[in-house]
Amino acid sequence: MTSEPYLPRRSVLYVPASNDKALAKIATLACDAVIIDLEDAVAPSDKIAARDKLAGIFASRPVANQHGRRCEMIVRVNALSSEWGNDDLLAAAKFEPDGILLSKVATPRDILEVGDVLDDNFAPDSVELWAMIETPKAMLNIGAIAELGRDPASRLACFLAGTNDLVKETGILATPDRRYLVPWLMQMVLAARAGGIDMLDGVSNDFRDLDAFARECTEAAAMGFDGKTLIHPAQIETANRAFAPAPEALAQARAVKDAFALPENAGKGVIALNGRMVERLHLAQAEKLLAKAAAIGA
Ligand code: COA
Ligand code: MG
């Protein structure tokens, strides 16, 4: 099995398309991706003006950073069932963003229909589809939606937890430890892995409390998320750190790799390293972590 090269999505910042000051900041930010938002962050009276800004935004698309990567640019469109959705989608497709983020996804059909629209309008294959998981129905259908990730023609590449909407739609209590959300968040991670797509955690609304944010990022990384969606530039650095491999994990990965490289261990399926059993699956895990560190320059 060949695996895709690691593409960092540790820090993915929502930027309201209606906020010129925020838009002007994009080129200066160290986040892995930005989501130009036409949906929840934009008031109904500003929807069309916000959409009209896409041309200017994509004209000044960020160039590569010191690691040879540039910040990915995603556009979040309004639901296709809304009066703006279809025009948003056609407008976004024209600028060939790295991805188009669909809100309120409920069934696999929602992804397939948008994929058809993109194909019909000659959007290149590089335009991915990202999906908000933020409704009870999406949670119930999550395995089937994620399975589309196995078919490149579907373009599906990433799930984003829409925790504010899930809280609203289900009536659960939002607590600092997210105890009522965690079962669903773990289900999202599991589904994303089954479908071979990335999984990003929801936003932390309290953007002034960076200690609480750091705790939430550490927890999200431990839960298996690839990164976190953000609402404020002050959150970027913390997320980049939390979703990068920890120094101790890297040291352990190097030790595992070195141990399997020893002549006496050639061809062995399992070895002992410092009193612990290490199998070839741990070697694969170690190599993946080292590749991830190399990709982000850690
Ligand atoms: N992207 C880029 N720049 C941002 C930003 C964002 N999401 N949020 C804030 N900034 C900029 C501000 O424009 C400001 O720029 P300035 O220094 O040139 O004045 C600077 O960062 C500091 O902002 P601050 O004053 O601390 O915050 P604020 O009160 O202006 O904005 C929010 C607070 C929450 C309204 C704003 O961060 C925001 O709109 N976030 C995104 C919300 C969103 O997209 N929600 C939908 C998805 S959940
Ligand atoms: Mg939402």
Side-chain angles (χ1 to χ4, degrees):
M1 202 171 96
T2 57
S3 57
E4 298 282 309
Y6 171 71
L7 184 61
R9 288 174 175 158
R10 300 162 297 170
S11 51
V12 177
L13 177 69
Y14 287 103
V15 186
S18 52
N19 182 341
D20 287 332
K21 262 172 101 177
L23 292 170
K25 281 220 149 49
I26 292 176
T28 68
L29 299 173
C31 50
D32 289 329
V34 292
I35 298 170
I36 310 297
D37 192 18
L38 301 176
E39 200 224 6
D40 282 347
V42 178
S45 56
D46 294 337
K47 293 281 189 196
I48 293 170
R51 183 198 301 144
D52 289 342
K53 286 185 199 282
L54 289 178
I57 296 167
F58 278 88
S60 53
R61 203 171 177 148
V63 293
N65 66 11
Q66 71 270 29
H67 302 302
R69 282 188 284 112
R70 58 176 186 79
C71 170
E72 288 189 285
M73 301 260 289
I74 314 301
V75 179
R76 181 162 79 166
V77 297
N78 287 285
L80 283 203
S81 56
S82 74
E83 64 185 280
W84 308 285
N86 204 55
D87 290 340
D88 284 355
L89 181 60
L90 295 178
K94 265 206 320 241
F95 301 108
E96 302 183 4
D98 297 288
I100 292 177
L101 172 57
L102 306 178
S103 54
K104 313 286 187 310
V105 165
T107 67
R109 179 145 302 281
D110 294 337
I111 308 282
L112 294 169
E113 279 174 4
V114 173
D116 286 345
V117 174
L118 293 182
D119 293 346
D120 291 347
N121 286 278
F122 309 105
D125 293 346
S126 61
V127 180
E128 297 180 344
L129 285 178
W130 290 20
M132 297 296 306
I133 303 298
E134 56 184 348
T135 64
K137 216 167 163 180
M139 281 314 305
L140 292 174
N141 292 326
I142 193 151
I145 300 171
E147 186 58 23
L148 293 177
R150 293 289 167 196
D151 177 6
S154 79
R155 301 173 186 261
L156 182 65
C158 192
F159 277 168
L160 289 74
T163 40
N164 283 329
D165 272 282
L166 266 177
V167 167
K168 165 175 167 274
E169 293 299 315
T170 57
I172 60 167
L173 185 66
T175 61
D177 66 0
R178 307 202 293 175
R179 67 172 69 183
Y180 304 112
L181 275 170
V182 163
W184 295 331
L185 294 173
M186 291 310 310
Q187 198 63 21
M188 291 183 206
V189 172
L190 195 65
R193 296 299 164 245
I197 63 177
D198 284 342
M199 183 70 239
L200 306 180
D201 193 12
V203 300
S204 295
N205 298 330
D206 192 357
F207 62 87
R208 301 275 182 235
D209 188 348
L210 285 178
D211 291 334
F213 179 70
R215 283 194 295 277
E216 202 165 290
C217 285
T218 304
E219 176 99 350
M223 289 164 74
F225 283 99
D226 295 293
K228 192 143 172 84
T229 47
L230 316 177
I231 51 171
H232 195 282
Q235 298 177 318
I236 294 171
E237 204 189 304
T238 304
N240 281 349
R241 209 172 323 114
F243 293 96
E248 314 81 67
L250 281 177
Q252 172 67 12
R254 276 189 214 100
V256 168
K257 201 176 164 194
D258 291 348
F260 271 107
L262 292 172
E264 61 265 35
N265 290 333
K268 282 195 187 160
V270 58
I271 58 173
L273 178 64
N274 301 327
R276 291 177 64 87
M277 177 187 78
V278 183
E279 297 178 85
R280 293 227 166 236
L281 70 90
H282 296 115
L283 175 61
Q285 231 176 331
E287 282 169 342
K288 199 169 160 188
L289 198 76
L290 292 168
K292 182 171 171 175
I296 57 181

